[in-house]
Amino acid sequence: MPQDVPWHGRTVHTGVYKQTVTGPRMVRRLNIDGDGQGDLGGHGGEQRAVLVYQLDSYRHWEKELGRDDLAPGVFGENFTVAGLPDDEVCIGDRYRIGEALFEVTQPRVTCYRVGLRMGEPRMAALLVAHHRPGFYLRVIEEGEVEAAQDIVKESTGPEAMTVEEIDRVLYLPGHTREQVERALRIPALSPGWQGSMKTLLEQDENQEGGSSTGSAGLNAAATAAPPAWPGFRPLTVTRIHPESRSVFSLGLAAADGSPLPEALPGQFITVKVQPEGGAAPLIRSYSLSGAPGTGAYRISVKVEPHGAASNELRAHIRVGDHLEAAAPRGTFCLTRGDNPVVLLSAGVGATPVLAMLHSLARDQSSRQVWWLHGARDGTEHPFAQESRDLIAALPNARATVYYSRPTDADRLGVDYTAASRLSADVVRRIGLPTDADAYLCGPAAFMDSVTASLVDYGLDASRVHTEIFGSGAAITPGIKAAAATAPHQPAGPAGSGPQVSFARTGLNVPWNDAQESLLELAEACDVPVRWSCRTGVCHTCELALMSGAVDYSPDPVEPPGEGNILICCSKPAGEVVLDL
């Protein structure tokens, strides 16, 4: 059963510490009596009820690792079996053991906990690299099982795709489109792996040559196009324009007069804001709000009462000044298609979805377009006339604007549609088409509630896209929750290495060799991070490298997308700026 285990100063709640048992055990739909999973997000559930590992793999690892202490259960499995090798067992195979009937659903998902159990941090990567992941079973018929019972194969899965083969397709380079299509024809393949295969197929279809990297199925960051230029380059401020009482826009052009590369509607750029007095630059990311394809960029900045960068820009930036900027990035982008588009925003969250609206108007799109925006009043409604003009230029577009506290100067039916907040309740009542792609940007609470409302209303969750200003939600599987702490400089003496800048967090930290990776440095600063394997396999930690270079140790099993890095196994090779 799950237990709390101390690890790196934190507490991991995990069921990986298995013990052998004697006598019969009842196998049920979700697990075996007496067994449990600590992290139900990554383990357990109907598709991952029983984990299987092989005695032959035990012998392999005893030789490979020079170990003689590998007792059954040390790999976290429920069944330690003779036979059933990963390169022969197929997804969809069915086996009867005792009274129970099982179906193979997917390979083991790599994570750090098997390494924690074995005292071997590399283990997640080694399982994939050596093609010995093990696999999960779904329980088709419940019943009692017992050690030493025969394993009887009842049927072979369609496509005869082995556990080892599909594991290679997702985690290692060199898959083919035919392999991905075969995987998607297997009904028994778990929904999570089906989603990853669909992502790989979409990447293959969008790339000339019909192939893509395996990491595209693991992290959306890998699906982004490579950055248009490395690091930062100077852009000239060509225009400064107020959009509302608290939002202003900057027009930006190439310093040499050449057209800037076209950004995708919804992307952002990261800029260095140099404070007066020569202090270290402030690094901030701003969505591109202008029309794509013009050869120039527009960013729109909300001035916060205590926002160092926004107040610096408002007070000191002038037409003709230069801003150092990284290339456009981001996966919050308008997708092609002919289905309806819903653009929802609150406040300055209008910036990325406004670029999408510009793109639709430029293409004279015939798609249904719904523009929903919420603001306090007319003085805090950026791009009001601009968005109205764009809506008017589209044949199948409509706009609904909500003011939470309209003033006497605001005209009902002209400036705004209703005096209320743009809330989850409003979204449920408005009658949106359920086959739409929805794009949301605004405060986190707004996006969380509206996303849940849209899914509850009938939109497919995969069609609801959100953009977050600032750090995203952390993924730290199995780690017991602790009180949230604002990002800060790490404890102890300051490092003497190159500067590491966390762009979304606004934190600059000198590298300290006491940390083994950029991930560990971020954790020491309480910067929200996302990870699972910690050994360069799963790509959960993949993110954009805005500038600089890194060294890997160990090398990733599959390289990240161009312009990205894996922070779990990398160190800075000089000053770096991370999209974190």
Side-chain angles (χ1 to χ4, degrees), residues 327-361:
R329 284 180 168 87
T331 58
F332 180 72
C333 300
L334 181 67
T335 56
R336 296 176 181 176
D338 55 10
N339 63 313
V341 176
V342 179
L343 305 175
L344 299 102
S345 58
V348 76
T351 51
V353 292
L354 183 67
M356 297 179 186
L357 190 62
H358 269 289
S359 178
L360 291 163

Side-chain angles (χ1 to χ4, degrees), residues 86-281:
D86 292 335
D87 59 358
E88 292 183 12
V89 171
C90 298
I91 305 297
D93 282 0
R94 289 193 172 189
Y95 297 93
R96 184 169 294 279
I97 307 173
E99 299 174 350
L101 180 64
F102 304 90
E103 182 177 66
V104 180
T105 58
Q106 65 171 71
R108 173 207 302 264
V109 176
T110 58
C111 83
Y112 71 105
R113 279 159 288 204
V114 66
L116 165 66
R117 172 68 178 88
M118 295 182 64
E120 174 49 79
R122 302 173 300 158
M123 207 63 225
L126 292 172
L127 290 171
V128 173
H130 287 243
H131 314 298
R132 294 176 178 272
F135 54 88
Y136 280 105
L137 299 173
R138 181 165 71 101
V139 179
I140 305 298
E141 296 176 9
E142 296 181 346
E144 285 191 340
V145 301
E146 189 172 357
Q149 287 178 328
D150 289 337
I151 302 171
V152 180
K153 186 175 183 180
E154 293 209 346
S155 62
T156 298
E159 304 298 326
M161 192 169 203
T162 68
V163 168
E164 186 267 342
E165 181 181 3
I166 200 168
D167 201 60
R168 278 190 288 111
V169 168
L170 186 59
Y171 287 111
L172 297 172
H175 76 268
T176 67
R177 179 169 177 169
E178 184 270 340
Q179 286 178 306
V180 177
E181 290 174 338
R182 282 174 55 212
L184 285 170
R185 291 195 293 266
I186 305 174
L189 183 63
S190 66
W193 279 67
Q194 287 183 17
S196 294
M197 293 298 126
K198 288 176 182 176
T199 303
L200 284 178
L201 187 61
E202 290 169 1
Q203 279 295 102
D204 289 349
E205 291 172 346
N206 292 332
Q207 289 190 0
E208 185 177 351
S211 66
S212 65
T213 62
S215 61
L218 296 167
N219 190 316
T223 68
W229 66 81
F232 287 79
R233 62 179 285 189
L235 300 183
T236 302
V237 178
T238 59
R239 185 171 184 260
I240 303 174
H241 180 69
E243 306 291 357
S244 72
R245 186 166 56 189
S246 61
V247 177
F248 67 94
S249 291
L250 299 178
L252 302 172
D256 61 5
S258 62
L260 290 172
E262 181 170 354
L264 297 175
Q267 289 191 308
F268 63 88
I269 62 171
T270 300
V271 300
K272 291 182 178 179
V273 180
Q274 183 61 59
E276 291 287 305

